[in-house]
Amino acid sequence: MAPSTEEKQFLDKILEEASQLDSPVMFILHKMQNEYRSIKEDHAEYIARSMGKPLSEIYSAATFYDEFKTSPTGKYVVKVCRGIVCHSRNSIQVLNAVRARLDIDDGETTKDGLFTLEEASCIGQCDGGPAMIINGTVFRDLDPDLAVSIIDRIIGSGGA
Amino acid sequence: MSMTGIEEMRKISEQRWSDLKGAEKVAYIGAASCGHAAGIVKVIRAIDEFNEKNGLGIEKVEVGCLGMCSFEPMVYFQKNGKDPVVYGNLDGERIPTLLDGIFNKDHYPIEGLLGVLGEGYDDLPSIYDHPMMRPQRRIILENVGRIDPTNLEHYLANDGFKGLEKALKMDPQEVIDIVKGSELRGRGGAGFPTGMKWQFCRNAKGEKKYLICNADEGDPGAFMDRSVLEGDPFRLIEGMIIGAYAMGTQLGYIYVRKEYPLAIFRLHIAIRECREKGILGKDILGSEFDFDIEIMEGAGAFVCGEETALIASIMGKRGMPQPRPPFPAQKGLWGYPTNINNVKTLSTMPSIMRKGADWYSSIGTKGTRGTAVFALTGKLKNSGLVEIPMGTTLREIIFDIGGGMDEGKSFKAVQTGGPSGGCLPADALDYIVDFESLKDAGTIMGSGGMIVMDEDTCVVDVAHYFISFTQEESCGKCSPCRIGTKQMLDLLTKIKAGDGTRKELDELASLAWTIQNGSLCALGQTAPNPILTTLRYFMDEFREHVFEKKCRARVCKALIQYEINELKCIGCGACERRCPVKAISEKPVKVTTIKGSKNNIRVIDPGTCIRCGLCLETCPPSANAISKVSPIDRKDEKKQGGDGK
C-alpha cells in the first residue's frame, strides 16, 4: 500500500518543515503520530525513502518510544498516572474505574475508536495526585467517580 | 537588537512594571498547571463577572506558581499600588465577597489570607513569614509566581538578561572562570562541577558544538523542572545563552517531556519572543555571537534522561545509552562536542553572572554551594515546590516547611532521588541536604523529588513500586539491568504475596550487587538503591513480611483482610451492593436501623474477597464498621484474649 495523494501532501509538508531542522526524525514522528494517531508502515516507508534512510532506522525509533504506535490509538488517549505519589493516593482505583467505564484494559482502544487507555509513569503532577492526562489536558485530584465523569463528559459531547 | 537596544527596552519595561506595581486594582492569578487543575478558570470567571457588574476596572495578570501548591487556586490582589495580598484555596463563590471587601470596603477578609507578597503592612503579615516560605532562599525560583512567565517585559524589569549582558562583555573563558568560582554543581542528580564540565566542552575541538538542556524530568515524585519552565522560561533561555557563549556553541536543544504541555507552550512563546527581539539568533545583542534554541519533545522514555540516551533520541534513534568514554563533551550529538545540563543548573546562571561567584559560593555548604529546589510531596500538610539553601536539615524541610504529617499520622520515611535514590527513616531526619550528606545517609540528592511517607505506607510496597518502575523503563540494552530488575521485581512480588523465604531476602541483596556493578548506565547502576536502603533501614518490615506473613502498614493485599464489626454494622447493605466480586453476604443477625426497620448485618468471605477496599470506602462514616486488619494480629489477640481492638 502506498500513501494516498492527500497523505503524501501532508508527509511532504512535514518533510519540508523538518528539512530546516538539525535533528528531524523525532519531529516527523511526532507530527505523524499526532495526525494519524499511529506511524503507518507505508508512511514510514515514504518518509525513509524521501530522506534517503533505511526504513529500519525510522521504524526502530517508532517502536522504541511509548508515544509512537504502530496501530492507531483512539481519538482520546487517556493516560492515568501511576507515579509513586498518585500510587500512594490510590490511583489504582481511578485506573480501575476508567477501565470499567471504557471496558478496556491498559494499552487497548475502545471499539468505536474514541479512547485508548494507558498507564503513564509519573506525569509530574505529584502535588495534585491522582492525576491523568487526556490529549494534553491535565486532570488532578481525581477520585474514581470524578475520573469517570470526565470520561462521560467527553462521550456526552459526542467526542468533539 | 544591540546592547543599547536592550537597555532602552529595559527602561520601557521597568516603567511598565512600576506602572503595574503602582496600579490601583490588580489581580495576579496563579496560572501554572497546579492552578489550572485546582479550578483557577472558575475563579477568573467570577472575577470577570464581578468586575464587569461593578465597573471596578480590575486589571488581570497571569503569573506562575509560588510553590504553595496545597493552597491553590491562588490570587493576589493589589490595591492602590501597595504590595499585593495573597489569597489561597479560592473558589468562584467566594470571589464577590472578597472583591467587595477589598476594593469597596477597604477590608481584607481573613479567610484564605496567606500574606502580603512583600513586606507586611496594616496588620497584614508578609507571605515570606509564612512557615512554608520563611526558611526558603529563592534564587532559581526568584521570579516564579511573581511575574507573567510569557511577558518579556516582566522578565527584563526584574533584572532579566542582565547576567547575559555582563557575560557578553567578557571573554568566554572569564565566564567559565566565574562558574568555576561559584562552585556550582550540576542539579540533575550527579552533582558534577558545572564549571569543569563547561571547560571540557570549551576545550574540545569541533567545527560546531551543542548545548542541551535536559528537561526530561521523569522521576516519580518530581516536578521542579516543570514549575521552573512554566513559571520563568526566559531565565532558562538566558542561562542557555550564557553557557553557549562560554563554550562556543551555535545550537541548543531543550529536550522536554511531552507530558508537560503547558511548559512546552510557554517555552515556544518565550523563544519566539527572544528571536523577535534579537536575544536569540544572529548577532545576539550586537555581540556578533550567534545562537539559537530548538525544542525537542520527548516521547515517553524515562531512560532518555540519561545523557547519552538523550543524545541518541535527539538524533532520532532508540533512546539507548552508550558506554562512556567518549563523553559527550568530546563526541556527543552528531559526533560533535556537546554539553548537557539540567534545567535548574542553567537557570542558576543568570543570578551567578549578575551577582558574582563569591555571592553564590557564600550560600550553602562547603561541598555543595547554593540552593536546592525540592518538589515536596506525599503525606504531609503542605506539599509544594521549595527552594532552600544547602545545609537545611530534612527535619526542617518536612516539619517546618511541609508542616509535618497530615491527618495526625506518624512519619515513617522520606524518599529522595526517585528510582535512583533511597528511603530514609526518622533517625535520619537530622541529616542536612547536600550531595555528600545524603550520600552518607544512603540515598542521593537526585534532581529534587522528596516524597514523605507515613505509617500507612509499606516500605516493601515502595521498593516494589520503584523496581517495577525501573524494570518497565529499562531500555533492554544490557542484561544486568534488563533481567536483573525483572528478577528483583519477581522476588519482591513473592515477598509481598506472603510467599517469601530467607532465600528471597538473600537473593535480593546479591542481585542488587550484580545490577549495580554490571549495568551500563546510571539507570541500571542505581536501580537497586531503593531496595538497598529499605533493606538497610527497614529490615524489620521485610522480616515481618517473610517470617510472620504480616504487613504492618496493611498495604500488601495477600497479608490483610477486611472485616465487618458485627456490633457496628447497621445492615444498610451499601458494601454488599458495591462489592465487585460478591464477597459480602447477609448474616442472620438483626439490627434496628434509625428508621426502625430490622436489617441483617453483613459479613465478608475472605476467600472470595479481592481486597480492593471499596467496601471500606462505601461504609457510611456514621457506622464505620469495616476495617482493614492483619490476620496475624488477630491470631495474637485471640491467644491473648484481646477484644480485637
Side-chain angles (χ1 to χ4, degrees):
Chain A
M1 215 172 72
S4 68
T5 323
E6 241 173 61
E7 288 171 339
K8 269 186 194 160
Q9 264 175 9
F10 177 80
L11 296 173
D12 285 336
K13 197 182 96 206
I14 55 175
L15 277 164
E16 167 66 28
E17 282 175 53
S19 67
Q20 312 292 318
L21 298 175
D22 181 67
S23 305
V25 174
M26 292 292 271
F27 171 84
I28 291 171
L29 289 173
H30 273 300
K31 289 276 179 191
M32 285 161 80
Q33 177 67 40
N34 288 348
E35 181 73 15
Y36 301 109
R37 296 186 226 147
S38 75
I39 310 293
K40 293 183 182 170
E41 202 177 322
D42 52 334
H43 292 183
E45 258 175 37
Y46 185 80
I47 293 285
R49 209 173 321 121
S50 309
M51 293 179 81
K53 285 177 183 294
L55 175 61
S56 63
E57 208 176 304
I58 304 293
Y59 237 59
S60 75
T63 50
F64 180 80
Y65 297 94
D66 286 354
E67 183 63 27
F68 306 134
K69 316 283 178 191
T70 44
S71 56
T73 65
K75 185 171 176 192
Y76 293 90
V77 180
V78 183
K79 295 183 187 177
V80 179
C81 182
R82 295 283 284 125
I84 178 85
V85 181
C86 291
H87 173 73
S88 72
R89 292 187 191 148
N90 278 326
S91 61
I92 184 71
Q93 290 185 0
V94 171
L95 181 63
N96 283 337
V98 178
R99 276 177 185 152
R101 175 63 186 87
L102 296 176
D103 196 21
I104 49 174
D105 219 334
D106 329 332
E108 294 178 354
T109 301
T110 51
K111 282 201 191 91
D112 59 5
L114 201 52
F115 291 97
T116 295
L117 177 61
E118 287 178 5
E119 273 192 50
S121 63
C122 185
I123 59 170
Q125 303 291 342
C126 319
D127 49 324
M132 66 181 178
I133 184 166
I134 304 179
N135 290 11
T137 306
V138 175
F139 299 91
R140 314 196 333 157
D141 298 308
L142 295 172
D143 58 41
D145 294 341
L146 181 57
V148 167
S149 76
I150 290 164
I151 302 286
D152 284 339
R153 211 157 60 210
I154 295 174
I155 295 172
S157 66
Chain B
M1 186 165 56
S2 65
M3 212 66 105
T4 43
I6 196 170
E7 277 317 318
E8 260 160 48
M9 199 174 150
R10 187 188 307 284
K11 260 183 217 152
I12 299 169
S13 301
E14 279 167 354
Q15 187 54 50
R16 294 234 173 100
W17 178 255
S18 88
D19 289 349
L20 175 68
K21 288 284 133 184
E24 226 173 289
K25 290 165 192 150
V26 189
Y28 298 89
I29 290 155
S33 285
C34 42
H36 274 287
I40 195 70
V41 175
K42 281 184 191 152
V43 174
I44 297 175
R45 210 175 297 143
I47 294 176
D48 286 345
E49 268 171 32
F50 190 85
N51 201 11
E52 248 167 65
K53 216 184 332 178
N54 297 277
L56 282 177
I58 301 173
E59 192 180 339
K60 279 182 309 177
V61 178
E62 292 198 0
V63 294
C65 164
L66 263 188
M68 302 172 78
C69 305
S70 38
F71 297 96
E72 296 283 354
M74 280 164 97
V75 180
Y76 340 144
F77 297 101
Q78 173 182 310
K79 192 186 169 185
N80 297 337
K82 283 197 232 165
D83 282 334
V85 179
V86 184
Y87 279 87
N89 297 119
L90 288 172
D91 59 49
E93 282 163 29
R94 275 185 46 218
I95 289 296
T97 9
L98 199 57
L99 292 182
D100 188 47
I102 297 172
F103 293 113
N104 292 336
K105 302 196 177 116
D106 208 14
H107 160 70
Y108 288 92
I110 196 78
E111 194 192 344
L113 190 147
L114 292 167
V116 178
L117 196 70
E119 293 197 2
Y121 54 80
D122 299 348
D123 293 340
L124 298 169
S126 165
I127 194 156
Y128 299 107
D129 283 330
H130 188 281
M132 223 183 148
M133 296 296 263
R134 201 185 315 123
Q136 294 198 44
R137 170 110 194 220
R138 293 164 81 94
I139 296 174
I140 298 166
L141 303 179
E142 193 180 359
N143 293 331
V144 178
R146 287 180 55 243
I147 64 169
D148 175 350
T150 55
N151 190 327
L152 179 58
E153 289 186 348
H154 283 198
Y155 185 65
L156 281 171
N158 284 279
D159 297 333
F161 293 109
K162 275 190 183 165
L164 175 65
E165 285 179 64
K166 219 168 144 185
L168 291 176
K169 287 178 194 150
M170 294 178 193
D171 181 75
Q173 184 58 46
E174 276 178 77
V175 177
I176 293 188
D177 290 338
I178 290 177
V179 178
K180 280 184 185 164
S182 74
E183 298 176 50
L184 172 69
R185 294 171 66 176
R187 293 298 193 255
F192 192 82
T194 306
M196 209 191 282
K197 200 169 177 180
W198 283 18
Q199 188 74 64
F200 290 150
C201 188
R202 175 169 167 74
N203 292 353
K205 297 226 173 342
E207 56 187 271
K208 50 179 174 175
K209 291 177 187 175
Y210 289 101
L211 168 63
I212 299 171
C213 169
N214 184 350
D216 193 38
E217 178 175 64
D219 280 7
F223 57 89
M224 306 74 58
D225 297 351
R226 169 174 67 79
S227 293
V228 175
L229 297 173
E230 287 177 356
D232 199 6
F234 288 110
R235 173 178 287 266
L236 172 65
I237 293 170
E238 183 179 356
M240 285 184 76
I241 307 173
I242 294 169
Y245 176 72
M247 288 175 276
T249 59
Q250 301 78 33
L251 184 61
Y253 280 98
I254 302 174
Y255 189 97
V256 54
R257 296 183 75 188
K258 197 179 160 71
E259 287 79 3
Y260 287 177
L262 188 60
I264 294 172
F265 175 70
R266 290 192 176 158
L267 277 171
H268 274 294
I269 293 179
I271 289 176
R272 198 179 54 215
E273 186 84 353
C274 286
R275 281 183 188 146
E276 278 171 15
K277 298 290 178 334
I279 300 172
L280 275 175
K282 296 253 175 260
D283 190 21
I284 291 174
L285 302 182
S287 65
E288 296 179 5
F289 170 64
D290 305 340
F291 178 67
D292 209 340
I293 297 175
E294 281 179 16
I295 296 172
M296 176 71 78
E297 288 181 30
F302 175 74
V303 69
C304 289
E306 199 279 339
E307 56 180 14
T308 57
L310 192 154
I311 289 173
S313 177
I314 292 181
M315 295 198 290
K317 298 183 176 155
R318 296 169 85 83
M320 287 179 167
Q322 297 288 324
R324 294 174 305 183
F327 287 92
Q330 303 149 338
K331 202 164 176 275
L333 184 56
W334 304 114
Y336 295 106
T338 302
N339 178 77
I340 302 182
N341 289 126
N342 173 268
V343 174
K344 297 179 290 298
T345 314
L346 290 164
S347 295
T348 310
M349 289 307 161
S351 302
I352 292 180
M353 291 315 297
R354 214 165 60 222
K355 299 182 180 174
D358 292 342
W359 165 79
Y360 193 77
S361 66
S362 70
I363 306 162
T365 64
K366 194 161 178 290
T368 315
R369 302 300 187 189
T371 55
V373 180
F374 279 108
L376 193 55
T377 59
K379 305 286 187 69
L380 29 63
K381 284 205 185 86
N382 309 328
S383 57
L385 190 78
V386 303
E387 182 171 7
I388 41 104
M390 293 287 179
T392 309
T393 64
L394 291 169
R395 189 184 301 281
E396 285 170 271
I397 297 174
I398 295 165
F399 288 90
D400 296 346
I401 299 176
M405 308 308 292
D406 206 10
E407 294 170 7
K409 301 275 182 182
S410 65
F411 171 89
K412 181 182 250 179
V414 55
Q415 211 278 351
T416 65
S420 305
C423 277
L424 302 178
D427 294 349
L429 281 173
D430 290 314
Y431 275 99
I432 58 164
V433 166
D434 77 8
F435 285 106
E436 275 68 33
S437 160
L438 289 180
K439 207 171 156 196
D440 287 346
T443 179
I444 61 165
M445 181 135 80
S447 78
M450 185 178 282
I451 307 159
V452 178
M453 303 169 191
D454 66 7
E455 58 195 276
D456 293 338
T457 313
C458 166
V459 289
V460 180
D461 182 59
V462 170
H464 180 270
Y465 171 82
F466 277 110
I467 207 72
S468 72
F469 178 86
T470 27
Q471 190 261 328
E472 180 96 355
E473 296 294 344
S474 170
C475 78
K477 183 167 180 165
C478 69
S479 41
C481 174
R482 183 184 67 243
I483 302 169
T485 52
K486 175 76 174 98
Q487 292 291 334
M488 277 196 144
L489 182 62
D490 289 348
L491 292 171
L492 283 164
T493 307
K494 226 169 153 182
I495 294 175
K496 262 174 70 74
D499 298 329
T501 62
R502 171 168 293 281
K503 190 170 149 267
E504 275 75 28
L505 275 182
D506 293 345
E507 277 179 7
L508 266 183
S510 82
L511 253 177
W513 187 91
T514 310
I515 299 170
Q516 268 184 332
N517 290 282
S519 297
L520 175 64
C521 82
L523 185 139
Q525 288 157 8
T526 59
N529 286 354
I531 291 166
L532 288 170
T533 51
T534 43
L535 283 174
R536 172 171 160 192
Y537 289 117
F538 300 94
M539 194 50 163
D540 285 356
E541 277 190 52
F542 277 87
R543 281 179 199 281
E544 276 173 14
H545 280 74
V546 169
F547 300 114
E548 296 173 39
K549 309 298 173 203
K550 172 181 165 179
C551 173
R552 66 167 85 164
R554 291 167 198 168
V555 170
C556 298
K557 281 184 181 177
L559 307 179
I560 55 161
Q561 275 178 17
Y562 285 87
E563 272 188 2
I564 299 176
N565 185 327
E566 296 190 2
L567 301 174
K568 286 182 173 177
C569 179
I570 54 169
C572 69
C575 55
E576 186 182 347
R577 288 189 293 276
R578 189 83 189 262
C579 179
V581 292
K582 302 199 182 334
I584 300 175
S585 55
E586 291 184 31
K587 186 177 173 181
V589 176
K590 298 274 185 216
V591 285
T592 311
T593 63
I594 301 168
K595 287 179 185 160
S597 59
K598 299 240 179 225
N599 286 355
N600 278 334
I601 63 163
R602 301 298 195 279
V603 287
I604 302 173
D605 170 26
T608 316
C609 174
I610 55 166
R611 285 125 179 117
C612 66
L614 285 175
C615 54
L616 180 66
E617 257 179 42
T618 313
C619 185
S622 55
N624 190 21
I626 302 182
S627 56
K628 230 184 330 183
V629 298
S630 178
I632 295 297
D633 288 344
R634 297 277 313 178
K635 264 184 230 157
D636 290 349
E637 280 155 10
K638 272 177 194 155
K639 262 186 238 158
Q640 291 158 14
D643 61 3
K645 270 182 192 158

